[in-house]
Amino acid sequence: MGGMRVLVTGGAGFIGSHVVEALTALGHEAVVFDLLDGHDVRDAEAVAASLPGVDAVCHQAAMVGLGAGFTDAVEYVSRNDLGTAVLLTAMADAGIRRLVLAGSMVVYGEGRYACGTHGVVRPGPRSAADLDAGRFEPRCPLCGAELEPGLVGEDAPADPRNVYATTKLAQEHLAAAWARATGGSAVSLRYHNVYGPGMPRDTPYAGVAAFFCSALARGEAPRVFEDGAQRRDFVHVRDVAAANAAALGAEPREGALTTYNTGSGEPRTVGAMARALSDAYGGPEPVVTGEYRLGDVRHITADSSRLRTELGWRARVGFAEGMREFARARPGGGA
């Protein structure tokens, strides 16, 4: 693919900075637009001024965090959804027709579950009574039987469970409307649990890894919630950056939004991640607490085969290697 001039919103952030590196390495020109530089995507004049000569936009800027309560709802919606609408409007006016959006696995809510009797089912949020009793696994909503967790495909129904998740889904709907109205090509990469160098603590994806490392750096045992058997898909930030580059280099699908799960394809438990980080530090061993956060999902792991098949991408940083590197990059990390 020839070199493109790509505007990267949030280009100074955790994932955005890695996207800039990946694009630059491939011969593209990355133009950083970031709040750290005083550039807010809600500022229509600033956005418009950044677009001349741009071939595509990689939209990573967002207010992240757990978004568990409702007190920050206005700020989340303003930054993520109003900001996206301002950006897309400016792109439409400037004739820019290529967008790659930082999507999120949080749009799914819980993961995919199958009941031996009823097939694929969608369990509701877990109750405090069950969690207090140590019953962490969701049950079949029809018969109460144990469920088998599986991989979530892009066609799974959306079930955003907090304000942040709702704004990430609304961003996709805005991008789809923009694509239909302009004939543009939009890709949403639904990131799973992104981790790696430069990860802030408040990221909604793998922030627990940062908490574990902070505990280890203090000489304390990582505290693992529930029974540690909750499954996630931890994907390295360099692999996520490579997925963005692959999406920009793909043949555009005009007038449409295409969604891709962006995960490693190797589900791991939170307990296994805590052990990997503890081993990298040389201890202490993780402690499984049985504590929980109401509203947390039990299992959410991606089927990223569409991304591998259609864009030729694959995750290259293995779990053990990535966790060792991540531990070393944190203050007090061992070798």
Side-chain angles (χ1 to χ4, degrees):
M1 57 184 171
M4 290 190 286
R5 182 176 168 89
V6 182
L7 183 73
V8 182
T9 69
F14 166 46
I15 297 174
S17 60
H18 286 274
V19 170
V20 168
E21 281 183 29
L23 294 176
T24 304
L26 290 170
H28 300 301
E29 181 189 356
V31 179
V32 173
F33 186 98
D34 197 281
L35 199 56
L36 287 179
D37 303 320
H39 296 144
D40 189 330
V41 287
R42 294 172 294 186
D43 182 340
E45 280 188 23
V47 172
S50 70
L51 291 178
V54 164
D55 302 301
V57 174
C58 202
H59 185 29
Q60 306 292 316
M63 181 178 174
V64 298
L66 294 170
F70 209 80
T71 53
D72 295 328
V74 171
E75 192 69 9
Y76 275 100
V77 172
S78 176
R79 289 204 195 187
N80 297 352
D81 299 337
L82 175 60
T84 298
V86 170
L87 174 66
L88 293 172
T89 303
M91 289 173 64
D93 291 344
I96 298 166
R97 298 292 180 261
R98 299 202 66 167
L99 171 73
V100 176
L101 173 69
S104 173
M105 54 79 177
V106 295
V107 301
Y108 295 119
E110 272 284 1
R112 185 181 193 275
Y113 295 90
C115 168
T117 304
H118 297 103
V120 175
V121 294
R122 294 185 61 75
R126 297 173 296 170
S127 70
D130 279 343
L131 294 167
D132 285 337
R135 293 188 293 268
F136 299 120
E137 294 289 345
R139 296 279 179 156
C140 176
L142 300 174
C143 68
E146 290 186 14
L147 297 173
E148 185 66 32
L151 299 179
V152 179
E154 288 88 352
D155 298 329
D159 182 19
R161 301 217 173 157
N162 58 42
V163 171
Y164 172 73
T166 302
T167 67
K168 296 308 289 184
L169 185 59
Q171 283 184 311
E172 289 191 350
H173 290 321
L174 287 165
W178 166 85
R180 281 192 294 269
T182 64
S185 168
V187 170
S188 178
L189 298 174
R190 289 175 171 172
Y191 301 158
H192 277 246
N193 296 71
V194 185
Y195 74 99
M199 186 178 77
R201 277 200 194 184
D202 66 348
T203 169
Y205 304 110
V208 66
F211 287 127
F212 290 164
C213 283
S214 296
L216 287 160
R218 295 191 302 268
E220 299 169 8
R223 295 175 62 81
V224 179
F225 279 13
E226 302 189 15
D227 58 0
Q230 56 272 42
R231 301 197 318 168
R232 298 291 187 267
D233 184 316
F234 299 101
V235 59
H236 197 277
V237 67
R238 286 196 298 273
D239 287 328
V240 166
N244 277 271
L248 284 166
E251 195 66 32
R253 293 182 183 172
E254 295 174 358
L257 168 74
T258 310
T259 56
Y260 292 106
N261 285 336
T262 307
S264 70
E266 295 184 0
R268 303 280 178 165
T269 66
V270 172
M273 180 188 67
R275 285 191 298 276
L277 292 172
S278 178
D279 289 348
Y281 267 83
E285 286 290 303
V287 174
V288 176
T289 67
E291 295 173 284
Y292 64 85
R293 285 185 310 198
L294 197 60
D296 272 2
V297 296
R298 176 62 173 174
H299 305 293
I300 175 77
T301 56
D303 179 353
S304 298
S305 56
R306 179 188 288 180
L307 182 60
R308 292 194 298 270
T309 302
E310 294 187 6
L311 298 188
W313 170 92
R314 68 182 178 88
R316 297 179 182 275
V317 182
F319 178 77
E321 170 199 351
M323 288 296 168
R324 276 197 304 272
E325 180 206 39
F326 182 62
R328 282 198 299 269
R330 307 296 295 184

